[in-house]
Amino acid sequence: MTDVEHVVRDLERKAEISREIHIASSKKCKRWADLILLLTIILTMAITFLSLAVPFLISLDDNGKNIFGIVIALAGLAILFLSISDRIFGINERYAGHIQGTKLLTDFIRDCHQFRHVEIKKYGEEKKLMKLDSLQNSYSQIQQLLPTTNISDSEFLKIKQQFYRKVDISRKLDEDHNLDIDQAMKMHEMTENLKK
């Protein structure tokens, strides 16, 4: 492997790991957005039911009716806050940013792969260096466009480990198309545990 190939492969590997991080971050944002939506729907239905049913099911004096009205109003305000929390915290916006980042990184990875496996054979040394410079600039620009991920060191290492596990099993699948993927995952985990 030439120096240019090595640098491009390293850029590709970094982009692959970064893509995995943005995929994980997008899934986390999507889970939060879905949870907020689900809670908003359930709580709205509950408050609606309570506000309609309680006056008929339970006889309240004037003081009880006032307290019940205040509780329903406060619950309605809480649901209002919950329903606009996405706007406040930008959860769906972050989700869209991570999805877009995943697409940008996928395109970049594809460009690196194309260069390493096809174009490099056609180019002279000067053209290879120009393409390398172009790829490095592209990678830098993509990194500036990507949203922040806010993951801990532990999360980063777990994502990186899962990525390498996926790559290893993918290579085995290339060799054996009938590979039992679940069994391969278990074997990989057992091998990793034995190394510890």
Side-chain angles (χ1 to χ4, degrees), residues 22 94 96-101 142-150:
H22 284 281
R94 283 188 292 166
H98 290 302
I99 292 296
Q100 184 62 34
I142 290 169
Q143 290 301 317
Q144 291 173 12
L145 293 173
L146 295 175
T148 57
T149 55
N150 299 324

Side-chain angles (χ1 to χ4, degrees), residues 163-179:
F163 168 72
Y164 284 123
R165 182 178 299 143
K166 184 169 71 172
V167 168
D168 288 344
I169 293 171
S170 180
R171 285 186 185 132
K172 290 176 184 173
L173 187 59
D174 287 341
E175 295 169 8
D176 178 9
H177 302 304
N178 297 317
L179 179 71

Side-chain angles (χ1 to χ4, degrees), residues 19-29 31 151 159:
R19 178 177 60 180
E20 293 297 317
I21 290 168
H22 284 281
I23 289 170
S25 295
S26 71
K27 287 178 181 177
K28 189 186 297 185
C29 288
R31 279 193 301 270
I151 63 169
I159 291 168

Side-chain angles (χ1 to χ4, degrees), residues 11-49:
L11 283 172
E12 188 177 343
R13 182 189 57 80
K14 288 178 184 177
E16 288 171 334
I17 292 169
S18 184
R19 178 177 60 180
E20 293 297 317
I21 290 168
H22 284 281
I23 289 170
S25 295
S26 71
K27 287 178 181 177
K28 189 186 297 185
C29 288
K30 182 73 169 136
R31 279 193 301 270
W32 277 108
D34 290 348
L35 178 65
I36 289 170
L37 179 62
L38 182 65
L39 285 175
T40 301
I41 291 169
I42 290 171
L43 292 175
T44 300
M45 289 176 14
I47 293 299
T48 302
F49 174 77

Side-chain angles (χ1 to χ4, degrees), residues 3-139:
D3 289 343
V4 171
E5 284 179 278
H6 182 72
V7 172
V8 172
R9 178 63 195 123
D10 192 49
L11 283 172
E12 188 177 343
R13 182 189 57 80
K14 288 178 184 177
E16 288 171 334
I17 292 169
S18 184
R19 178 177 60 180
E20 293 297 317
I21 290 168
H22 284 281
I23 289 170
S25 295
S26 71
K27 287 178 181 177
K28 189 186 297 185
C29 288
K30 182 73 169 136
R31 279 193 301 270
W32 277 108
D34 290 348
L35 178 65
I36 289 170
L37 179 62
L38 182 65
L39 285 175
T40 301
I41 291 169
I42 290 171
L43 292 175
T44 300
M45 289 176 14
I47 293 299
T48 302
F49 174 77
L50 289 174
S51 65
L52 295 173
V54 167
F56 294 110
L57 297 176
I58 301 172
S59 60
L60 299 172
D61 60 8
D62 286 341
N63 192 32
K65 288 179 183 177
N66 289 338
I67 291 172
F68 179 72
I70 290 170
V71 168
I72 292 294
L74 291 174
L77 283 174
I79 292 171
L80 174 65
F81 174 76
L82 186 62
S83 67
I84 63 170
S85 63
D86 174 49
R87 298 264 189 219
I88 294 168
F89 300 113
I91 296 170
N92 276 315
E93 187 178 312
R94 283 188 292 166
Y95 169 72
H98 290 302
I99 292 296
Q100 184 62 34
T102 299
K103 290 175 183 178
L104 289 171
L105 288 163
T106 298
D107 289 343
F108 177 78
I109 292 164
R110 196 173 293 121
D111 289 346
C112 288
H113 186 81
Q114 174 73 15
F115 176 69
R116 286 189 318 107
H117 293 283
V118 177
E119 296 172 12
I120 201 163
K121 296 169 186 165
K122 299 176 188 177
Y123 294 163
E125 202 59 36
E126 186 175 328
K127 184 111 175 173
K128 287 178 188 178
L129 292 173
M130 287 173 52
K131 180 67 176 185
L132 173 61
D133 188 50
S134 171
L135 287 170
Q136 288 173 323
N137 287 334
S138 293
Y139 182 76

